[in-house]
Amino acid sequence: MKKIIATLLTSLCLGAGLTSTALASEGGIEWDRFPTSKMNDLAALQHGAKIFVNYCLNCHSANFMRYNRLKDIGLTDEQIKGNLLFAGEKVGETMKVSLDPKQAKEWFGALPPDLTVIARSRADGAKGTGADYLYTYLRKYYRDETKATGWNNLAFPSVAMPHVLWELQGVRTARFEEEKDPHDPSKVTHVFKDFVQVTPGTMTPQQYDESVADLVAYLQWMGEPAQGTRFRLGIIVVLFLLGFTVFAWRLNASFWKDIK
């Protein structure tokens, strides 16, 4: 039975990859813009870390991130131990999962990817940043009983990953309408129109979007925890060079003023 399930899920993953590739070649949907102000909001980053540990870290690891690095976003060792460590890990350990790789491959057909640098790896220069993609992807799930998981996604059609945040967002379906190709009336395409809320979630749509933005902000931060420091140092260096340029220019003018 396990082999049959693994085979079906493997086929689903392969089909999802092919569908995603085809969609990308056609342009796919437009990505929503991630609110970059979240990157400077410590409360948002802390909330995103909480969502990540509770909903993502069950299957996905973050093997290049240590729990104690969360002190960079304002958390103490006590807060990390009390709110983010649920399996007896030490604060200095990496964010690994107890899921056995062999069992994961047997159950899911493939090992769930590590999420440490997921935001950086999903960037597309023509469509947006990796944060834009994740922000879009996590808000485009809908119920689809024709899929093995019962879920589908506009940003990643036939995705193998179920909607792990469905309790927060609620259950909704997608409404499509048939449209004929103006150049070839015999061809009919299904065009997405809107989502239909079936059952409400524990959050309002606005609260869910805010929470997803917090989670994506954390994923973006996790990919490069020092990026805030790098940006601040870059600004300081540029300001120093501008000041030094003015100083050098005035010194040069003073030096040559008496020389004809």
Side-chain angles (χ1 to χ4, degrees):
M1 185 64 181
K2 288 183 179 179
K3 290 183 177 180
I4 295 175
I5 295 174
T7 302
L8 289 174
L9 287 174
T10 301
S11 300
L12 178 63
C13 290
L14 292 174
L18 292 174
T19 305
S20 178
T21 302
L23 186 67
S25 65
E26 297 171 1
I29 66 171
E30 291 186 5
W31 294 355
D32 299 325
R33 290 293 167 255
F34 163 70
T36 55
S37 60
K38 291 285 186 180
M39 297 304 302
N40 299 315
D41 187 341
L42 290 181
L45 290 171
Q46 292 170 8
H47 185 222
K50 181 180 179 181
I51 297 174
F52 175 77
V53 170
N54 281 279
Y55 291 93
C56 305
L57 202 55
N58 298 312
C59 297
H60 296 277
S61 61
N63 288 321
F64 302 99
M65 172 60 60
R66 296 187 183 277
Y67 284 98
N68 58 9
R69 196 64 194 263
L70 296 177
K71 291 190 288 186
D72 291 354
I73 57 175
L75 297 176
T76 64
D77 284 343
E78 290 70 26
Q79 289 174 324
I80 296 172
K81 291 178 181 178
N83 299 290
L84 301 177
L85 291 179
F86 304 119
E89 307 99 326
K90 296 180 181 179
V91 175
E93 292 184 354
T94 57
M95 291 182 165
K96 56 182 181 294
V97 294
S98 57
L99 183 65
D100 182 79
K102 293 182 179 180
Q103 290 181 333
K105 290 181 179 180
E106 183 179 358
W107 296 338
F108 307 130
L111 182 66
D114 185 276
L115 298 182
T116 310
V117 294
I118 191 69
R120 298 176 66 181
S121 66
R122 290 296 185 270
D124 184 332
K127 303 182 71 172
T129 66
D132 292 334
Y133 170 76
L134 294 174
Y135 183 62
T136 304
Y137 167 73
L138 292 171
R139 294 165 53 252
K140 298 301 182 185
Y141 268 100
Y142 62 93
R143 195 70 176 164
D144 187 349
E145 298 296 344
T146 66
K147 304 303 178 184
T149 63
W151 297 96
N152 208 334
N153 192 295
L154 286 180
F156 193 155
S158 299
V159 64
M161 175 179 150
H163 188 16
V164 295
L165 302 176
W166 74 269
E167 290 181 321
L168 305 180
Q169 187 182 34
V171 178
R172 61 183 185 173
T173 57
R175 185 172 67 89
F176 295 88
E177 290 185 359
E178 292 185 352
E179 291 188 2
K180 293 184 178 180
D181 188 333
H183 303 290
D184 186 355
S186 63
K187 290 184 178 181
V188 177
T189 58
H190 290 81
V191 180
F192 170 77
K193 292 301 180 180
D194 56 21
F195 291 112
V196 178
Q197 195 74 32
V198 179
T199 58
T202 58
M203 295 180 175
T204 65
Q206 294 75 20
Q207 290 173 333
Y208 180 77
D209 286 351
E210 283 290 323
S211 294
V212 168
D214 293 347
L215 173 58
V216 173
Y218 173 74
L219 292 171
Q220 176 78 6
W221 173 84
M222 185 169 60
E224 188 181 356
Q227 60 184 298
T229 303
R230 177 168 58 80
F231 290 150
R232 287 191 293 271
L233 286 176
I235 293 174
I236 292 173
V237 169
V238 170
L239 292 176
F240 170 78
L241 291 176
L242 288 174
F244 182 78
T245 300
V246 173
F247 173 77
W249 172 64
R250 295 306 304 160
L251 180 62
N252 180 72
S254 176
F255 180 80
W256 289 99
K257 69 177 181 179
D258 294 327
I259 299 178
K260 302 296 184 177

